[in-house]
Amino acid sequence: SQQGEEDPQALSIQEGENATMNCSYKTSINNLQWYRQNSGRGLVHLILIRSNEREKHSGRLRVTLDTSKKSSSLLITASRAADTASYFCATDGKGGGADGLTFGKGTHLIIQP
Amino acid sequence: DGGITQSPKYLFRKEGQNVTLSCEQNLNHDAMYWYRQDPGQGLRLIYYSQIVNDFQKGDIAEGYSVSREKKESFPLTVTSAQKNPTAFYLCASNIGAGYVNEKLFFGSGTQLSVL
């Protein structure tokens, strides 16, 4: 079953603008992660935020987590053409169970030069 | 250079044929996973293994089989029982033990198509 759902499904912005994408999930989590996937490639881990954290930064990335709303957002500042990719959120969602992460369907981000 | 290697990059299956996708890692990770990705969809878990000689079914295990005879290797066989095998298959690993839901490292994927 799908745990995380990203919104929007697709996003097109101009280079230099900020990109924001959201993720909603259904059950309690220990952590939430964001991954990037370039077309036809594997996923690359971007950032992990734990359930007791509200905000985390990594370079041009900022992730927020609101456990009361069961939602997270990923902000990419000063976007570049190389940021064009699909972005997925992933949750454990099973109280630390050992059966892997559950991924959403992703947001396809296009950065126009 | 540490990482996860999947091969082949492209694979074609004939009707009634079993095919095996390779996944090798040199990260010394205990846990390994197989995910299936369909166009416009998220990843769905097929099988996972936390330790050598042990593995568990994921959400969509029917029509697939795996083995974990070595720590470094976790091959996936797509059997003839899988009626809709066309998809992008991703292998992943992480440290395992108390970190099974932490950061995953992914291979570059295998695109399987039916002839």
Side-chain angles (χ1 to χ4, degrees):
Chain A
S1 60
Q2 216 71 34
Q3 164 73 318
E5 292 290 341
E6 292 88 347
D7 171 61
Q9 290 187 354
L11 179 62
S12 179
I13 61 173
Q14 296 293 320
E15 193 167 19
E17 294 180 339
N18 295 342
T20 300
M21 53 205 88
N22 305 295
C23 170
S24 60
Y25 58 92
K26 298 174 183 175
T27 64
S28 62
I29 60 171
N30 291 311
N31 68 62
L32 184 143
Q33 302 175 46
W34 286 91
Y35 289 80
R36 184 187 74 216
Q37 184 182 34
N38 290 90
S39 181
R41 304 299 300 249
L43 278 69
V44 175
H45 182 268
L46 295 176
I47 198 165
L48 180 152
I49 187 166
R50 301 194 185 279
S51 59
N52 61 353
E53 298 175 307
R54 291 296 168 260
E55 187 170 314
K56 203 163 184 178
H57 296 252
S58 176
R60 293 184 296 113
L61 305 180
R62 186 185 81 146
V63 170
T64 61
L65 178 65
D66 187 336
T67 53
S68 66
K69 295 181 179 178
K70 293 186 169 57
S71 67
S72 173
S73 67
L74 171 67
L75 169 67
I76 304 174
T77 60
S79 63
R80 305 167 181 170
D83 294 329
T84 294
S86 292
Y87 292 81
F88 295 87
C89 67
T91 57
D92 55 2
K94 295 186 180 181
D99 50 1
L101 302 177
T102 303
F103 289 81
K105 295 183 179 181
T107 290
H108 185 49
L109 176 64
I110 298 173
I111 308 299
Q112 304 203 13
Chain B
D1 214 11
I4 300 179
T5 302
Q6 289 188 241
S7 63
K9 188 167 178 61
Y10 300 97
L11 186 58
F12 298 91
R13 193 192 88 167
K14 296 179 181 178
E15 292 285 341
Q17 187 182 41
N18 293 352
V19 292
T20 298
L21 284 62
S22 171
C23 178
E24 303 277 333
Q25 54 99 358
N26 60 3
L27 300 168
N28 199 33
H29 285 171
D30 284 319
M32 297 186 75
Y33 306 82
W34 275 106
Y35 286 92
R36 169 179 170 143
Q37 185 178 29
D38 293 282
Q41 301 294 314
L43 279 65
R44 291 184 290 168
L45 184 63
I46 304 173
Y47 268 99
Y48 65 100
S49 168
Q50 292 188 68
I51 197 168
V52 174
N53 293 323
D54 187 52
F55 49 83
Q56 283 78 42
K57 294 181 179 180
D59 298 322
I60 56 165
E62 186 175 350
Y64 300 96
S65 66
V66 293
S67 63
R68 187 83 186 278
E69 297 176 1
K70 298 187 300 182
K71 186 176 185 177
E72 304 79 20
S73 179
F74 191 40
L76 173 74
T77 296
V78 184
T79 74
S80 57
Q82 172 50 246
K83 298 306 179 187
N84 184 24
T86 297
F88 191 54
Y89 291 86
L90 287 159
C91 179
S93 72
N94 68 13
I95 295 173
Y99 301 92
V100 291
N101 292 320
E102 301 279 322
K103 175 181 177 179
L104 284 177
F105 294 77
F106 281 85
S108 57
T110 292
Q111 176 64 49
L112 175 62
S113 303
V114 176
L115 289 176

